[in-house]
Amino acid sequence: MSRPAAGREAAASRPAGHPRSGLEEGRYRGLSLDVARRAFTIDGTVRLLDRMAELGLTALHLHLTETRRVGVRLPGFEELAAPDAWTAADCARLVAAADEAGIALIPEIDLPSHAAALLSGREYLQLRDRRGRVHADRLDVSHPESLELAAALLRAAAQLFPGDAVHLGGDEYFAAPWETEEEQRADRFPSLLAHGRSLVGTAGTAADSFAHFMNALAEVARDLGRTPLMWNDHVVPASQHPGIPISTDIVLDVWIRWRAWTPSVLDYLASGYRVMNSHGDLLYFVLSADGAPAAHGRRRFGLLEDLFRPRRFMGLAAQNEHLDVPPVPEGHADPVLGASLSVWCDAPEVLGEKELLALLDTWLVPFAASFGTTARAAAPAALEGGGQARLRPPAS
């Protein structure tokens, strides 16, 4: 698919002077924040924006929706929001603070998986497997109404958060490599298989139904004047000859490589994709049932500052194997657009907000330093909750 010269709604969605994420310039330095599973205060998030600006980061990716909770009152879908979700006024305050800090905001509506909260009242759109079991957290992308719903949700998020990019989600829809033979079956979801065959012919697969949906949603993003991003989980590279390829206009947010036979970042680059590095081993700050992450990005293999480089992607999950993508020759466009550190709140009760942000700062400092920026190691007053001073981003 070709990218239109200008999105039809770009003027309304991206006002003049709004901060850019750095994607198109190849200098994305981001933080992804899970405001779906956990309710972050606007005050705390504004302080985080200030700290990001001080560290030279460029974008805050807001993961707005999850299986159990919708973290924002989306226009037209207010009934889906959690009781403590951000209001339109909260979002307006956050947008103003991001503008002042020089940080781009990138909203994510995570579909077609992690969707149970979004499908409340629309249970007929939930996916069924071949045994008739309903998967309440998965949207049936073969249903004619599914794209209509997803597009409306994406437009609602874009209305709240002006900017130059949106994240489409697209993760964990199909079985992971370690799941059972039944879960791995090509005909596990008959509606997707039938839809894929209607699009491609007898060789069509459920993956083609998924790709068709994500491509159509990306067109909606481009009509909004936004660069679309999606997680890499189910993107089939050109070398595997998919019936319907995921459009190379979509930036792949590369976080995982489960097995040696699953695609690597090198496969995506060879297929013509632009990529962002969200290394799921090195750049995942996770509150889990096991507790809080260690300070300073410490993992069993070492410290973040020793292990991570912006062009170092996952080789194999949990194996301390990495793929270093070499720099491109001078004068050539760089398909590696940057990197992002992710905060996931699988067990949101593990830390209070103040403690979480203070611990997160010990990760942000070495992450920012990996790009060659200079930053203070100690958490500033702005993160600890008392400071009122607004911090300006460094001159580029």
Side-chain angles (χ1 to χ4, degrees):
M1 296 181 187
S2 61
R3 185 178 306 168
R8 289 189 287 275
E9 300 176 44
S13 299
R14 191 168 61 214
H18 192 82
R20 295 187 62 83
S21 61
L23 279 172
E24 297 300 330
E25 299 84 5
R27 54 179 301 274
Y28 188 98
R29 303 169 182 180
L31 173 68
S32 177
L33 191 64
D34 182 2
V35 301
R37 292 182 181 90
R38 180 196 180 96
F40 285 85
T41 67
I42 292 297
D43 284 347
T45 311
V46 167
R47 289 192 290 270
L48 179 59
L49 285 167
D50 286 338
R51 182 56 168 159
M52 291 174 63
E54 185 179 47
L55 293 172
L57 304 185
T58 65
L60 179 61
H61 165 191
L62 298 170
H63 184 77
L64 299 172
T65 65
E66 257 300 334
T67 294
R68 296 182 181 85
R69 186 175 179 278
V70 176
V72 63
R73 295 184 183 277
L74 294 164
F77 298 94
E78 289 85 356
E79 75 282 359
L80 300 179
D84 55 354
W86 288 344
T87 65
D90 291 331
C91 295
R93 184 181 165 205
L94 193 63
V95 168
D99 284 352
E100 187 176 347
I103 302 292
L105 298 178
I106 299 178
E108 178 191 357
I109 301 295
D110 196 5
L111 288 171
S113 194
H114 300 275
L118 290 173
L119 297 179
S120 176
R122 296 176 176 84
E123 285 75 13
Y124 59 94
L125 295 179
Q126 293 170 342
L127 187 61
R128 291 178 179 268
D129 64 25
R130 70 189 191 95
R131 298 185 182 277
R133 178 190 167 207
V134 174
H135 293 258
D137 64 335
R138 289 175 171 91
L139 174 68
D140 184 349
V141 298
S142 73
H143 196 290
E145 195 177 314
S146 293
L147 180 59
E148 189 178 311
L149 172 64
L153 289 165
L154 189 64
R155 291 187 184 103
Q159 180 180 332
L160 288 176
F161 299 103
D164 66 348
V166 290
H167 204 297
L168 309 178
D171 62 314
E172 299 179 336
Y173 190 55
F174 298 117
W178 61 83
E179 294 189 82
T180 67
E181 183 178 342
E182 172 65 25
E183 291 164 319
Q184 297 282 353
R185 288 179 64 113
D187 63 348
R188 183 187 184 193
F189 299 115
S191 63
L192 302 185
L193 180 58
H195 187 228
R197 288 176 173 172
S198 74
L199 296 167
V200 176
T202 56
T205 67
D208 294 318
S209 179
F210 169 82
H212 175 79
F213 174 83
M214 297 306 297
N215 285 343
L217 202 54
E219 283 287 357
V220 175
R222 286 188 287 269
D223 284 348
L224 292 167
R226 311 294 183 96
T227 298
L229 299 89
M230 68 176 285
W231 302 108
N232 73 288
D233 303 33
H234 308 306
V235 179
V236 181
S239 60
Q240 296 182 22
H241 308 291
I244 298 179
I246 295 286
S247 170
T248 55
D249 275 355
I250 301 175
V251 174
L252 300 188
D253 197 345
V254 180
W255 73 282
I256 194 67
R257 188 189 186 201
W258 291 119
R259 295 288 186 269
W261 48 266
T262 56
S264 75
V265 66
L266 301 180
D267 295 310
Y268 297 131
L269 292 171
S271 299
Y273 291 103
R274 297 174 299 160
V275 300
M276 190 172 68
N277 189 357
S278 290
H279 198 306
D281 280 338
L282 302 183
L283 298 181
Y284 265 37
F285 177 105
V286 183
L287 301 185
S288 73
D290 295 329
H296 308 292
R298 180 178 291 280
R299 313 299 280 254
R300 63 186 177 195
F301 301 118
L303 288 170
L304 178 63
E305 64 182 302
D306 296 327
L307 294 174
F308 180 68
R309 304 293 180 269
R311 306 181 76 87
R312 177 164 293 172
F313 289 76
M314 182 184 290
L316 281 178
Q319 299 300 312
N320 198 30
E321 293 184 21
H322 313 285
L323 292 171
D324 290 317
V325 177
V328 299
E330 187 175 349
H332 289 70
D334 193 345
V336 178
L337 304 184
S340 182
L341 191 153
S342 297
V343 176
W344 296 108
C345 302
D346 297 17
E349 71 285 350
V350 166
L351 286 178
E353 181 173 288
K354 180 179 178 180
E355 293 75 21
L356 185 157
L357 293 178
L359 180 60
L360 175 61
D361 195 76
T362 71
W363 286 57
L364 287 173
V365 169
F367 174 66
S370 73
F371 296 95
T373 61
T374 302
R376 296 203 311 272
L383 266 186
E384 293 172 349
Q388 299 296 317
R390 302 287 294 167
L391 300 171
R392 298 285 183 178
S396 57

